[in-house]
Structure formats: C-alpha cells, structure tokens
Amino acid sequence: MSHKATVWAIQQRGLKPATKIVLWFLCDRHNPDFGCFPTQARLADDAEMSISALNEHLAKLEELRLIHRVRVHDPRTHKRQATRYILGFEDGFPQEPTPETGHGFCGTEEEQRADPTPESGDRAISGFSPIPSPDFAQSHLRNPETNLVREPLSKPVKEEEDAQARDADFDRFFAELLSALGFAANATLPAWWQGWPARTHVRRWIDDLGLSQKRIIETATETRADHPNPPDGPKALDRFMERTAQRDAQATIANAKSQKSKRQRKRVDPPRLSDDEKAAFYAKMVNADGFLPVSAINNSIRDLMLVRNLVTPERLRMRGVR
C-alpha cells in the first residue's frame, strides 16, 4: 500500500463514485518500489463489482489520463503476464502528444526499447511483443509446448487462478441458492437477482453474519414453507438470515457454557470412597492420639470399623465414640 498514492486518488475530482472507488483500490495496491500489478479478479473483488464493470471504469480512468495500462508478455513464451498500471502521479506516466509531432513519451523505458515494426519504423502499439513467435512466424498468439519442463507460474498468475477458483465455487453455490428458492435452472431471473449487486449482497451473509454456504441453503429452503414463491431479491431474506445467525450464535454460547459446567462438575465432585477405604481412613483417626471430634464418626462408620477389626470397642469408648 502506498499512502502517497491513496491520498492522490482521494484528491481527484469529477469522477463518478464507482470509478473513484476503482482508482482508490488501484492506488491501495500500488507499491512504491515495484509498481502496481493487481489482477482484474483481485480488483473486482476489492471494489465489489463484476470484471466487465471494472473494465468500463478502468477504460474511463485511462481516457481521463489518470492511469496508463501496460500489457506485458513473456519475451520467450509470448504468454500474457500481469498488466502493469502506471498511475498519473508517477514519473513514468506517458506525456500527452505534442501538437508539432503528434508523438510523445509513450509508457515505460521497456516499452520505448521495443523494436520498431518493419512497415512504419514505429514500435508496436498493440501491447504484444513485436518479435514473431519462433515457431509460428506469422502469429504472436500461439507457442506450442515443445518443452516438457513447464515454467513455474508467477505470483500474479497464481493469485488470479485462485480468485477464479473461488468465483467458480461461489457461482456453484449461488446456483444452488436460486434452486432452493424455487427458480428453475434455465429460467430468466428477475432484475433484482441479476448481476453483481445480488451476488455482493449474498456474500455479506457469509462475511458479515458468519453463515456458511450450507446454512444459507438450509435457511433458504426453510423459508419456502411459509413463502412458496421466490423472494423479491436478496434483501427480502435478510431477516431470515439474521435470525439464523443469531440462533447459531446462541447455540454456540449455550454449548460452551454446558461444556464449561461439565468441566467444573468434574473438578468439584471427588471420587467416591469404598466401604473399606472409609473404614481404614476413620480407623486411622481413632487409633491416633490427635483430636477427634465426636461428630466425625457416625454409627455406620463405627460398625464398618468393628466388622473389619480395625478398632476395638475399648478404643472407641476411650476416644468418646459410643
């Protein structure tokens, strides 16, 4: 995170709220030493919007010359790498073309060093490497895997794959939720169940209320008993989800108290002594010369000691036990 970058984002005026949010999260991902390389999946998750909506805001920011996107490809494998975002306050941000030449500083030093194309003498502007693939001279898009030893994935690519896996899992869960609410698999959903706002609202049941996907499906199924028709959007289910979260929390607290009470009873209740152990214990007290309260030995204890010949009647009388 760069404090300078986030302050700069806040100071920008005339942006729509969602566009400014995207700019702020871009700046939040900026590293002063290494630059800004967040994946689209990461940015979309930060800003709580779909990737298509995110791209619209990124295009607007680039049009306003607040950011500049540099699409990078591996020079050897020609595979797409993480996009670099150059922010408007950075030294490497490209300048606007001059009216005399129509050219200006375009991007980073790496971009400037790109080889010129044979037709124009200018460098490639598509973002792809101007050097053809060694295997397919006419194409920059394919490079057959002739080497069986694969290159390790870079960290940004791994993050994007993890984000895609999480999105796929959420898509499966969201489809199960719609089915539990009574929507047909191929039915056209009402507007309030479409797009990222509905999905973001459902995610809050997980993030804010602490409900699992399984509990959300169970609660949605329970609501069908009194409300057979599908609800008008996720907000109609908030009350039910809050009650489920409250019941789960109360059950957890009650279970914790019960376990604590059981542990306390185990510590307080001593093990019961057998008759032999009782007789031996009190006989030791009677045969000793220490103080012996009269009420310490009742008739049942006296009989237990006499039957086992642990004490004599004379000793009992001497100690005041009748």
Side-chain angles (χ1 to χ4, degrees):
M1 173 180 177
S2 171
H3 180 68
K4 177 182 178 181
T6 54
V7 170
W8 173 80
I10 293 173
Q11 292 173 344
Q12 303 310 307
R13 298 292 182 181
L15 299 177
K16 292 183 179 180
T19 306
K20 193 165 187 176
I21 287 173
V22 171
L23 178 62
W24 190 93
F25 278 113
L26 261 178
C27 292
D28 186 57
R29 295 287 177 183
H30 176 263
N31 185 297
D33 296 326
F34 301 103
C36 186
F37 297 89
T39 63
Q40 285 195 349
R42 173 69 66 184
L43 278 176
D45 184 68
D46 287 343
E48 297 185 355
M49 62 179 60
S50 64
I51 291 181
S52 60
L54 173 71
N55 278 315
E56 293 178 3
H57 294 298
L58 290 175
K60 184 63 177 178
L61 291 171
E62 195 164 30
E63 179 186 342
L64 295 173
R65 298 190 54 75
L66 293 175
I67 67 171
H68 177 64
R69 287 181 284 186
V70 181
R71 296 168 178 83
V72 183
H73 289 75
D74 188 289
R76 189 177 67 83
T77 64
H78 307 288
K79 291 182 178 179
R80 177 76 173 272
Q81 295 182 331
T83 298
R84 178 182 177 183
Y85 297 84
I86 304 178
L87 305 177
F89 69 91
E90 293 186 82
D91 294 335
F93 193 85
Q95 303 299 317
E96 293 195 42
T98 61
E100 293 80 14
T101 64
H103 296 279
F105 173 69
C106 297
T108 61
E109 294 180 1
E110 290 81 1
E111 290 182 297
Q112 294 184 79
R113 289 197 295 267
D115 294 337
T117 60
E119 293 81 6
S120 64
D122 295 327
R123 67 176 186 83
I125 61 173
S126 66
F128 291 94
S129 171
I131 304 174
S133 166
D135 301 288
F136 293 90
Q138 303 302 321
S139 173
H140 294 281
L141 302 179
R142 296 185 58 193
N143 185 26
E145 294 285 351
T146 56
N147 185 1
L148 298 180
V149 180
R150 295 180 178 271
E151 294 291 329
L153 294 175
S154 62
K155 185 176 179 181
V157 174
K158 183 64 169 64
E159 287 184 356
E160 187 163 358
E161 289 180 347
D162 292 343
Q164 290 174 350
R166 289 193 298 269
D167 290 342
D169 178 69
F170 186 83
D171 289 342
R172 175 196 54 76
F173 154 69
F174 194 77
E176 291 181 5
L177 174 62
L178 294 176
S179 177
L181 293 172
F183 290 106
N186 299 324
T188 301
L189 296 176
W192 45 74
W193 281 106
Q194 295 180 10
W196 65 268
R199 293 168 178 262
T200 301
H201 196 99
V202 172
R203 284 184 187 273
R204 293 195 180 110
W205 298 340
I206 300 174
D207 299 336
D208 298 346
L209 300 181
L211 294 175
S212 66
Q213 293 181 357
K214 180 180 178 182
R215 287 296 286 144
I216 291 174
I217 297 294
E218 291 174 349
T219 303
T221 303
E222 292 172 1
T223 62
R224 297 291 307 283
D226 297 328
H227 304 83
N229 294 326
D232 295 339
K235 290 184 179 180
L237 294 172
D238 282 348
R239 180 165 50 92
F240 299 99
M241 296 302 169
E242 290 169 359
R243 287 179 179 176
T244 297
Q246 186 177 11
R247 286 198 302 266
D248 290 351
Q250 291 173 346
T252 301
I253 294 172
N255 184 59
K257 288 182 178 179
S258 176
Q259 295 296 330
K260 182 179 179 181
S261 178
K262 289 180 180 178
R263 289 194 296 269
Q264 289 177 342
R265 285 199 298 271
K266 288 181 180 178
R267 289 195 297 266
V268 171
D269 297 339
R272 293 182 177 274
L273 299 176
S274 65
D275 289 345
D276 291 340
E277 291 173 332
K278 291 179 182 179
F281 176 78
Y282 287 104
K284 186 178 181 180
M285 294 176 61
V286 171
N287 293 326
D289 294 330
F291 174 71
L292 179 67
V294 178
S295 60
I297 300 175
N298 55 31
N299 293 338
S300 61
I301 296 296
R302 180 198 63 194
D303 295 341
L304 290 174
M305 292 187 296
L306 290 173
V307 168
R308 289 166 176 75
N309 295 321
L310 297 177
V311 297
T312 63
E314 291 77 12
R315 182 63 181 174
L316 289 173
R317 286 194 294 270
M318 184 185 300
R319 297 288 283 168
V321 179
R322 304 298 180 183

